[in-house]
Amino acid sequence: NMALITLGANAITTLPSGVGGKVLQIVHSQLGSTHTTSSDSFVDTGLTADITISSGSKILCLLTKQTYGIDSSSAIWKGASYGRWLLNNNTLFDTSHIGNRDGQEQLHNMHYSRLITGQSAGTHTIKLQHARVNAGTVYTQSNSSITLIEIA
């Protein structure tokens, strides 16, 4: 059951003019199928989202869900993976993950959020890349996703 919240008589239900931001658009993208790689170099996973900003000085809110794992029949703790989130082909941030123990695949759900400021008008692309470390195969699961929110 959900609790019902009642606002008091003095509750602020709107902000004064010129205060706060407005959501201008939301773009969501989900990986269509599981992506695998055995590369030691970063490769595109296919998870990408484009957002077109009509004028500069906007804030982009990036929300991500990264579900991935690595399997390896190698010795204990041999497999690991790196993730790289790119904005317009420039590194936004990196992730890392120790993946495999005793040859068993482990799936991890990682959630990230970032505020991105100072972007100019035009189309901006966010994408995810993965690389393995040492051994094994990295699996980026089909439920991995990107949500971009443009705020005025």
Side-chain angles (χ1 to χ4, degrees):
N1 291 341
M2 218 172 166
L4 180 60
I5 298 172
T6 305
L7 297 176
N10 295 324
I12 299 172
T13 57
T14 61
L15 292 173
S17 176
V19 176
K22 295 180 183 177
V23 173
L24 300 178
Q25 64 175 312
I26 298 172
V27 174
H28 179 79
S29 180
Q30 184 169 329
L31 192 60
S33 59
T34 298
H35 176 269
T36 62
T37 186
S38 296
S39 175
D40 294 326
S41 300
F42 284 105
V43 296
D44 290 350
T45 62
L47 180 57
T48 183
D50 294 325
I51 190 165
T52 301
I53 298 174
S54 58
S55 63
S57 301
K58 300 290 196 292
I59 296 173
L60 291 177
C61 179
L62 168 66
L63 307 171
T64 68
K65 177 184 179 188
Q66 183 180 349
T67 304
Y68 59 100
I70 187 164
D71 73 22
S72 173
S73 58
S74 305
I76 295 175
W77 297 114
K78 281 280 188 166
S81 70
Y82 289 125
R84 175 164 286 165
W85 290 93
L86 301 169
L87 170 63
N88 301 326
N89 289 317
N90 296 307
T91 300
L92 191 57
F93 62 95
D94 289 331
T95 63
S96 63
H97 146 83
I98 300 296
N100 168 273
R101 184 168 189 246
D102 296 329
Q104 298 174 355
E105 181 180 344
Q106 298 176 353
L107 289 178
H108 293 266
N109 287 304
M110 308 298 284
H111 299 268
Y112 303 99
S113 60
R114 294 286 190 275
L115 292 178
I116 305 166
T117 59
Q119 298 304 305
S120 60
T123 300
H124 301 277
T125 301
I126 300 275
K127 67 180 176 179
L128 173 64
Q129 295 180 329
H130 260 148
R132 74 170 186 180
V133 180
N134 294 333
T137 302
V138 178
Y139 295 87
T140 306
Q141 301 297 314
S142 60
N143 64 345
S144 297
S145 65
I146 303 170
T147 303
L148 294 168
I149 305 169
E150 181 185 8
I151 303 171

